Every structure is written in C-alpha cells, then in structure tokens.
Amino acid sequence: MAKHYIPNSAHKEEMLKEIGFSSIEELFADVPKGFIKELNLPEGKSEYEVFLEMNEILERNKTVLEMPSFLGAGTYFHYIPAHVKYLIERSEFLTSYTPYQAEISQGMLQALFEYQSLIAELVGLPVVNASMYDWGSAMAEAALMTVRLHRGKRKKFVVPKHTHPERMQVLKTYGKGPGVEIVTVNWNERGQIDLEDLKEKVKDAAGVYIEMPNFFGLLEEEIQAVGEIAHDAGAYFVVGVDPTLLGIVEAPGELGADIVVGEASYFGNPMNFGGPRAGIFAVRNDPKLIRQMPGRLIGMTKDAEGKRAFVMTLQTREQHIRRAKATSNICSNEALVAVAAAIHIATLGPRGIRELGEVILKNTTYLKKRLKEVAELPFDGVNFKDVLVRFEKPYKEIHEHLLSKNIHGGYYVKPHFPELGEAALFAATETTRKEWVDALIEALREVV
C-alpha cells in the first residue's frame, strides 16, 4: 500500500537542531506548561491505519446532544437553522478574502453591509464595523479607543471586578504596551456593580465598561446610572452585550452607551471548541468616534453608472494604509462568522429575536428554580443563560459525579473568584430541555 502519510518524528531532533533548539519544550518555552501535547503517532503505518487510530481518539468526544452540557460562561449551545451553513458554504462567501477590489467583491461587501445594519438595529447605535476577532478583542479595542479619544491625557479604564475573566486577560494584554491602567469596581451584595465604589474610582477615567448580562449571569439593573456616572466624570461609556438578549431588553445605545461591543457568533455559529468568533463593535454617529474606530467599515454608494454599490470606506484608519499609525492592528478577521450571524439574524427577524430571548429567559428561570433545591444561590436577580450556584462540597467531586452520569456540569469559578467558595456557573439556552435539567438535579441530589 502506498504510504501517503509520512511521519516526521524520526527527523524531529534533526529539525530542532537545524533551528537551534534541543527539545520541543525549549521551542515552545513561552507557552505555559501543560498546554503542549504531542500525539506521538507510531511510525511505519499507512495513511488509512493512522486514520483509524485518529478516529478512535475522536470517538472519545461527545456532542452536547450525546452528553447534555450546562457549561456556559461565554460559550453556549444555540440552534442554527440548516440553511445558514448551506449559504456560508457557497464559494462566494467561503473562499472570499479581503474585498479590496470592490468591483469584484460586491456580494461579500453587501453581506457585510447587511451584517452592520442588522447589528446597528440590535444594539441601538448607527455605526457598526464589519466585526472584530471576538468580544474580548472588541472590549480591549474599545478601551484603547477611549484613551485615544482623550489624546492620551487619560489612561484609566474602569471595569467591574466581575467582568468575564478571559476578557479581562485580553484587556490586560492589549493595554500593557500603551500603558492603560485597568481599575476594577467591586460588586455589591446582590452581585451587581457597586455604584458608590464606581463613583470613587471613575475620576480621570478614559472609559467605563459594564456587561449585559454580567459574568454571574445577572442583568445589571443600574446600567443607565453607570452611564451617567461615566459621562459626569468625562469618560466614555462602553457596554458589552450578549446580542441574544436584545429582543427582550432595551438596547444599550438607548441606555446611553457611546460604544457597544459583544459577541456576534452566538447567532449562526456552532461552539467550535470556543472559536472562531466575531466581535461586535458599534459607536454613536459622532465623527470623532467613527474616525477612531478599529476594523473595517463597509459603506453603500453609487458607481460611475449611478447604480447602488458597496465599498470599504474610511480606509485611512486602517493598517494596510496607515501601518503603525492605524487605529488598530486588526486586518483580516473571521468575516465569514459575521456573515453567518447576519443570515441567522435576518432569518429570525424582530419577532424571532424577541421569542428567542423569551425562551432563553424561561429556560434559565426553570434551571435557577431547580438549582435552588440542591444548592445555594449567592445572588438573586434576573438571570439570563448563566446561574451562579455555591456548594458545600468541593465542586471537583460534584463535577466528576455528573460526568459519571453523562452530564457535563457547570463552569468552576473559584480559580477566578476564590471569595465565592465552591461556586460554579450553570447555563441554559433555547436548546436546553426540561428533562436535561431534571436529570441534572437528580444527579446533584446524589452527591451534594
């Protein structure tokens, strides 16, 4: 049999020596330990034999339909209509690259223009870019943008302490070089942002950030007040939002937000082991803000014959024109994810998006009600998707028991917030079935 698969492990030491390293560990020394795992596939096997071995490994994975999952905290199982995948697999979208040549890219340009228009309606702000990498990068870019808008005279960016930990890591990475000072605001006894603490820390801030919902899954009740405090201090108000919520609450633009960021991939995209994604970035119709926006802007105009046409506009903000002086170093990103989101949003329409939010809220409420029977809820309020619960026993033991019952439990939050004790976030979406929740509670009764 012809061996199309050619393992390189026999040549590994030779290749490492050629580039000046003695081991794989030395080559990837900047990657934290525990994140590098070599497959060490056996040599001398045919491509088909390797395929069978890899297939055995892959069979250990289970889908959320085979193992109900309550693991949320930013990645959720949403249902995607079948036609979304079919449409984005068309070669016009799937193989499209950056539409620098507008005359041959009208289809992709219009799709991105429609994405921008749909997101603008959802978030309540008129100017939206063609997407960022994800929510975290959009949030970090917003922080840098608020500093630029103050011409570097203010470098403080104020965020709730209970901001999503991974987004906080991205913010710290982006802010390190420009010297952005990240200041955190405590939560109060109800798991909401502490307004009094915010008032003490907002002085000389470039921007103030808040999330809808917050990391604990709670809808912040004083978003408008947070915006007023920010504006009174001369800071820009940035709101991060889960867009699947926006059919049942006021849009952040209507609550005073200057900049809105969020995660567009909750529409039209599977979980994909956490990525790729598409970050929402929207601003008020203010030339100062628009000029400082990161990412691409797609505009509608007329061609030489007076026909409707779509183009990349305000490109002088961008890296391919301004290089180091650009507003951001983002260039190509996962625009296909944004197109998928646009198709899904357009499919749902206003009524569908409202109904989606209502079903998620209903399922979250049922999950919360049942969890109260077996665990403590540190905070009360209105939850959307995620519910924070605390146990007396170590959560690792509880999680292992749930796995043995073919249930994937919640997201362990103690490593990020040790003051919360043995706490975890359990999530529900429109896909969560009542029998899954009931099975979860029965399994928890056996161990707590």
Side-chain angles (χ1 to χ4, degrees):
M1 181 184 285
K3 295 180 179 178
H4 303 293
Y5 168 74
I6 305 173
N8 288 315
S9 54
H11 309 289
K12 186 165 63 178
E13 290 184 8
E14 188 179 341
M15 289 189 289
L16 286 168
K17 184 179 178 181
E18 181 67 24
I19 59 176
F21 293 95
S22 60
S23 67
I24 290 291
E25 289 72 26
E26 186 182 353
L27 175 62
F28 295 109
D30 54 336
V31 178
K33 289 183 179 179
F35 284 90
I36 300 173
K37 183 175 176 63
E38 294 185 65
L39 286 175
N40 290 322
L41 290 170
E43 298 178 39
K45 289 195 173 185
S46 69
E47 184 174 338
Y48 178 61
E49 288 171 316
V50 172
F51 165 77
L52 291 176
E53 190 163 333
M54 293 297 291
N55 203 50
E56 287 179 12
I57 295 172
L58 290 171
E59 282 181 351
R60 299 176 196 168
N61 290 333
K62 290 188 176 183
T63 71
V64 289
L65 295 177
E66 296 167 320
M67 173 185 272
S69 176
F70 295 89
L71 182 66
T75 299
Y76 306 97
F77 172 39
H78 290 290
Y79 180 73
I80 305 163
H83 68 275
V84 174
K85 186 176 181 181
Y86 170 77
L87 288 172
I88 64 167
E89 284 182 348
R90 290 184 61 89
S91 60
E92 300 97 313
F93 294 136
L94 191 62
T95 62
S96 176
Y97 187 58
T98 305
Y100 290 122
Q101 292 176 269
E103 66 275 12
I104 62 169
S105 304
Q106 285 300 291
M108 190 62 173
L109 285 166
Q110 181 173 356
L112 292 173
F113 182 84
E114 300 296 350
Y115 161 81
Q116 293 175 179
S117 303
L118 291 162
I119 296 297
E121 284 195 53
L122 275 176
V123 304
L125 290 179
V127 185
V128 179
N129 75 9
S131 77
M132 308 298 292
Y133 296 127
D134 55 17
W135 187 337
S137 63
M139 167 204 178
E141 290 278 12
L144 299 184
M145 179 175 159
T146 62
V147 171
R148 291 196 302 273
L149 286 163
H150 283 96
R151 302 185 181 277
K153 294 177 182 178
R154 293 188 177 196
K155 289 202 167 186
K156 184 196 294 186
F157 193 68
V158 181
V159 300
K161 184 181 177 182
H162 51 299
T163 297
H164 195 295
E166 291 178 358
R167 290 177 206 132
M168 284 288 284
Q169 289 177 333
V170 175
L171 175 62
K172 289 174 183 177
T173 301
Y174 272 63
K176 187 175 181 180
V180 178
E181 179 190 0
I182 300 164
V183 176
T184 58
V185 178
N186 292 322
W187 63 77
N188 60 24
E189 67 281 356
R190 299 186 62 241
Q192 309 270 334
I193 189 169
D194 188 325
L195 294 183
E196 295 306 313
D197 192 37
L198 173 63
K199 290 174 184 177
E200 291 180 11
K201 295 174 176 175
V202 75
K203 184 181 178 183
D204 297 327
V208 174
Y209 174 77
I210 196 168
E211 293 183 340
M212 301 171 53
N214 66 29
F215 181 64
F216 303 147
L218 294 165
L219 299 188
E220 294 277 358
E221 298 168 3
E222 299 291 347
I223 289 178
Q224 204 156 4
V226 172
E228 290 169 0
I229 292 168
H231 290 149
D232 288 346
Y236 288 94
F237 183 35
V238 184
V239 177
V241 66
D242 176 342
T244 61
L245 172 67
L246 294 177
I248 57 173
V249 299
E250 277 191 276
E254 296 169 4
L255 297 173
D258 301 301
I259 304 170
V260 173
V261 298
E263 186 56 65
S265 69
Y266 294 158
F267 289 112
N269 291 272
M271 292 184 286
N272 286 332
F273 295 96
R277 295 188 166 189
I280 292 168
F281 202 103
V283 301
R284 288 190 287 105
N285 189 15
D286 181 332
K288 287 192 303 181
L289 272 66
I290 297 169
R291 271 284 167 194
Q292 289 298 329
M293 281 182 78
R296 298 225 153 80
L297 285 170
I298 310 303
M300 184 168 67
T301 184
K302 290 183 179 180
D303 66 14
E305 297 177 356
K307 297 176 182 177
R308 185 183 69 173
F310 298 92
V311 296
M312 285 168 43
T313 189
L314 293 175
Q315 293 185 60
T316 51
R317 303 168 299 107
E318 295 190 60
Q319 182 177 261
H320 68 284
I321 302 290
R322 297 277 287 172
R323 299 300 182 191
K325 294 180 180 179
T327 57
S328 167
N329 66 5
I330 188 171
C331 198
S332 297
N333 75 310
E334 296 94 354
L336 188 67
V337 178
V339 173
I343 295 169
H344 193 179
I345 294 168
T347 300
L348 290 169
R351 189 176 72 177
I353 289 172
R354 183 180 69 249
E355 290 174 354
L356 173 65
E358 289 171 349
V359 173
I360 294 173
L361 185 61
K362 177 183 175 182
N363 288 350
T364 307
T365 303
Y366 181 71
L367 173 65
K368 182 177 180 179
K369 176 186 173 184
R370 295 304 313 273
L371 284 169
K372 277 184 180 180
E373 299 173 15
V374 293
E376 176 195 357
L377 273 62
F379 308 120
D380 197 16
V382 178
N383 287 77
F384 188 81
K385 291 186 180 175
D386 291 294
V387 179
L388 184 71
V389 292
R390 182 160 54 206
F391 301 95
E392 293 182 5
K393 294 180 74 171
Y395 181 68
K396 186 177 180 181
E397 293 180 23
I398 295 170
H399 196 76
E400 290 294 333
H401 177 75
L402 292 176
L403 290 175
S404 73
K405 296 292 183 179
N406 198 47
I407 298 170
H408 202 298
Y411 181 84
Y412 190 34
V413 302
K414 187 176 180 179
H416 305 294
F417 302 107
E419 62 268 46
L420 292 174
E422 294 297 324
L425 285 170
F426 285 74
T429 69
E430 80 283 3
T431 62
T432 305
R433 302 176 62 130
K434 179 178 180 293
E435 51 265 39
W436 294 355
V437 177
D438 295 341
L440 167 69
I441 301 306
E442 291 309 308
L444 286 172
R445 286 190 197 281
E446 296 172 2
V447 69
V448 296

